[in-house]
Amino acid sequence: MPPSPDLVAERIAAVRATVPTTVTLIAVTKQVSVDLMTVAYEMGLRDFGESKVQEAAQKQAQLDLPGIRWHLIGHLQRNKAGKAIQQFDWIHSLDSLRLAERLNHVAAEAERVP
């Protein structure tokens, strides 16, 4: 059973109380509903991490909120580099030179720098 919105808000407040304001808190939202992500947004979170390109795309279509920054934190295959460049502001899961070269190529084509 997913946590209640009140519990999510309580947990975010507890984490925020222990983390310096100079640290960016990224909410990892793998298998988390858009409703609970909205609660996190209302608590001031703007950075959301997803591990799958497709799952992120579905959530991004539903969450058109200003200021959200999307982070790819899961494994990325080269064939999904183009989608990842379009969908994410940050890509944390770079694990090979070939993937780096592919991302660099598609980012240049899209005039985008995640």
Side-chain angles (χ1 to χ4, degrees):
M1 171 168 256
S4 71
D6 289 339
L7 182 58
V8 170
E10 185 179 305
R11 288 179 179 173
I12 291 170
V15 170
R16 280 244 162 107
T18 64
V19 177
T21 57
T22 56
V23 172
T24 300
L25 183 60
I26 301 172
V28 177
T29 54
K30 180 179 179 179
Q31 298 180 346
V32 172
S33 73
V34 171
D35 292 338
L36 291 179
M37 291 176 71
T38 302
V39 171
Y41 180 87
E42 290 169 354
M43 290 290 299
L45 292 182
R46 296 298 181 264
D47 292 86
F48 294 90
E50 285 287 336
S51 61
K52 295 183 178 178
V53 174
Q54 187 61 32
E55 187 174 341
Q58 293 169 355
K59 291 176 180 177
Q60 289 166 336
Q62 296 175 58
L63 283 175
D64 187 22
L65 300 169
I68 287 182
R69 290 176 296 271
W70 292 93
H71 300 254
L72 179 62
I73 58 172
H75 176 73
L76 176 62
Q77 298 171 336
R78 282 188 313 280
N79 65 338
K80 294 185 180 175
K83 287 182 180 183
I85 288 294
Q86 293 299 323
Q87 288 179 235
F88 294 94
D89 301 297
W90 291 87
I91 298 174
H92 298 271
S93 51
L94 186 63
D95 64 359
S96 73
L97 178 58
R98 287 180 66 197
L99 178 57
E101 291 169 343
R102 177 73 179 137
L103 287 168
N104 189 51
H105 177 75
V106 295
E109 286 180 344
E111 298 179 353
R112 191 154 155 70
V113 184

